[in-house]
Amino acid sequence: MPVDLILGTNNVGPHGKIKTIKDFSEILDLYASYGNKYLDCAYIYPAGFPGEAETFLGELQAAKDGKFVVDTKLDSFRDGAHTEQAIYVSITSQLARLKVDKIRTLYLHAPDRTVSFEATHRVINELYQQGKFERFGMSNYRLEEIIEFAERAEKNGWVAPSAYEGLYNIVSRKPETELLPVLRKYNISFYAYSPLASGFFSNIKRGQDPAPGGQFDPNTFNGGYNQSWFFKDELFTAIEELELVGAQYGIPNNAIALRWLRHHSQLSDGDAILVGYSKIEQLKQNLEYLEQGSLPDKIVQVIDSIWESIKDSAPESVF
Ligand SMILES: NC(=O)c1ccc[n+]([C@@H]2O[C@H](COP(=O)([O-])OP(=O)(O)OC[C@H]3O[C@@H](n4cnc5c(N)ncnc54)[C@H](OP(=O)(O)O)[C@@H]3O)[C@@H](O)[C@H]2O)c1
């Protein structure tokens, strides 16, 4: 299978939607039963309650004996998050919570432009030499910033970024034109997050008020940027069009979105889809969709023509 799956954990923790270790354990078992083992976590998950998702992973000893392979992201999204001291505080607490000495990928979750990137990269390189992680990942950076890290790594012999997480789905295809060619040039794998646009393809209709505390509640961290990314007339029109063509084949929007990413998008060998869910039933459905094959040509054509009509207002994950 050329495109890997990585299980997201941004809804995991007592203040998230997967509130108990037992429920999360069942989710991990389900995910493993489909032959998967990669997990994506972050200091910040679930948003607003840092450390809760990592704590669940540690309590379950997820990484023990290689049953699962854990990636996580440093504390970011605030000025001063990437000073040397702050990075050490973050990684030390994260490894302790995860109950491991080493993880697979350590990400800078988003740029901290108050600290020189060279200083940040130097600390990342130190941690790499100390054996704290195997791969250096970046997320939500500008193109020229990714290039800067990749070039510096080459020049200084420092650890180079080899994974990048960005928004990529049927209504967010901007990475195809500039980001992906750069990632290919520097041998950086691309991991597509929000494959279902955080539920935009199935859970919200034009004119509907978002559920309080939900994925589109503007008063929450996630809801704020999800609204700014997806709540646009042309994107609602796109989803309505997709629903119509999907209905001709009995294929719902979420299935279209996941099957497109796996079989028709520009993801390829070594890239991955970050799988999202807020309950086990959703995860099961998504894993089933992901097992299904390529889409009928007509649907792929509609996806491409929709893209032509929305590409100027499509969201992009640069912070
Ligand atoms: N690097 C970054 O900055 C970044 C950013 C975002 C995500 N990520 C990673 O990527 C992972 C996936 O992203 P995501 O959570 O945004 O993925 P997503 O699949 O686009 O969105 C997940 C949400 O979509 C809805 N959903 C999922 N499956 C569904 C189904 N079968 N039926 C109906 N609704 C469904 C649920 O909404 P409800 O909650 O309303 O039920 C769920 O919370 C995250 O867990 C995280 O690990 C990384």
Side-chain angles (χ1 to χ4, degrees):
M1 192 72 70
V3 177
D4 271 327
L5 301 184
I6 304 180
L7 188 74
T9 58
N10 68 352
N11 282 324
V12 174
H15 291 89
K17 292 179 175 172
I18 312 296
K19 291 182 181 299
T20 66
I21 291 188
K22 179 176 171 288
D23 286 351
F24 187 44
S25 173
E26 284 169 12
I27 277 169
L28 290 182
D29 286 346
L30 173 70
Y31 178 64
S33 74
Y34 281 74
N36 301 306
K37 63 176 180 179
Y38 297 111
L39 307 178
D40 179 68
C41 200
Y43 174 91
I44 201 180
Y45 294 163
F49 299 92
E52 289 192 353
E54 289 176 338
T55 299
F56 273 19
L57 284 171
E59 289 297 311
L60 288 167
Q61 299 198 294
K64 201 174 172 207
D65 304 327
K67 184 171 181 203
F68 294 102
V69 175
V70 177
D71 298 333
T72 198
K73 313 184 198 80
L74 286 168
D75 181 17
S76 297
F77 295 107
R78 62 178 178 87
D79 292 352
H82 293 174
T83 61
E84 179 176 3
Q85 196 200 3
I87 289 179
Y88 269 95
V89 168
S90 181
I91 185 72
T92 304
S93 70
Q94 293 180 270
L95 294 176
R97 278 193 292 272
L98 289 165
K99 298 194 173 134
V100 294
D101 299 326
K102 182 178 193 165
I103 49 166
R104 180 178 73 150
T105 313
L106 180 68
Y107 288 90
L108 295 171
H109 201 158
D112 173 7
R113 300 191 178 91
T114 67
V115 178
S116 94
F117 286 163
E118 177 157 7
T120 300
H121 199 165
R122 180 178 289 113
V123 184
I124 293 290
N125 189 59
E126 262 174 39
L127 293 174
Y128 177 70
Q129 287 180 332
Q130 292 166 16
K132 306 286 189 209
F133 63 92
E134 286 166 24
R135 305 188 323 162
F136 166 31
M138 297 175 69
S139 184
N140 304 313
Y141 278 75
R142 294 181 192 136
L143 197 63
E144 65 274 16
E145 295 171 336
I146 303 167
I147 295 171
E148 187 189 318
F149 274 89
E151 297 275 335
R152 187 189 303 101
E154 213 167 289
K155 184 165 144 252
N156 295 0
W158 290 356
V159 63
S162 54
Y164 185 82
E165 279 194 17
L167 177 70
Y168 186 42
N169 59 49
I170 46 177
V171 298
S172 320
R173 295 174 59 177
K174 283 191 176 162
E176 292 177 357
T177 39
E178 291 187 338
L179 175 65
L180 274 164
V182 165
L183 298 186
R184 303 295 183 233
K185 176 173 174 197
Y186 291 103
N187 285 320
I188 302 173
S189 297
F190 183 48
Y191 298 161
Y193 72 65
S194 298
L196 300 178
S198 299
F200 182 70
F201 302 147
S202 61
N203 300 352
I204 186 99
K205 300 277 178 230
R206 193 195 297 269
Q208 195 183 333
D209 284 334
Q215 297 287 348
F216 298 98
D217 177 350
N219 302 313
T220 65
F221 177 82
N222 287 331
Y225 69 77
N226 280 335
Q227 269 222 16
S228 71
W229 282 348
F230 302 116
F231 273 33
K232 297 175 182 167
D233 271 344
E234 52 277 41
L235 297 197
F236 279 111
T237 306
I239 291 320
E240 289 155 7
E241 256 183 71
L242 200 65
E243 210 163 74
L244 286 179
V245 67
Q248 292 171 23
Y249 297 87
I251 308 178
N253 274 356
N254 285 345
I256 292 177
L258 293 175
R259 288 167 67 179
W260 178 83
L261 267 178
R262 198 153 209 193
H263 303 289
H264 306 277
S265 72
Q266 288 192 13
L267 296 180
S268 66
D269 244 355
D271 295 331
I273 301 168
L274 289 153
V275 183
Y277 55 91
S278 71
K279 28 177 115 78
I280 195 164
E281 296 78 15
Q282 288 180 355
L283 177 63
K284 180 150 184 48
Q285 190 170 56
N286 296 344
L287 292 170
E288 286 294 321
Y289 293 154
L290 284 158
E291 297 260 296
Q292 294 166 1
S294 55
L295 292 163
D297 290 347
K298 170 85 181 296
I299 294 185
V300 178
Q301 283 158 15
V302 171
I303 291 171
D304 288 339
S305 87
I306 285 175
W307 176 242
E308 285 306 311
S309 67
I310 62 170
K311 62 183 180 190
D312 292 337
S313 50
E316 209 174 358
S317 56
V318 172
F319 282 77

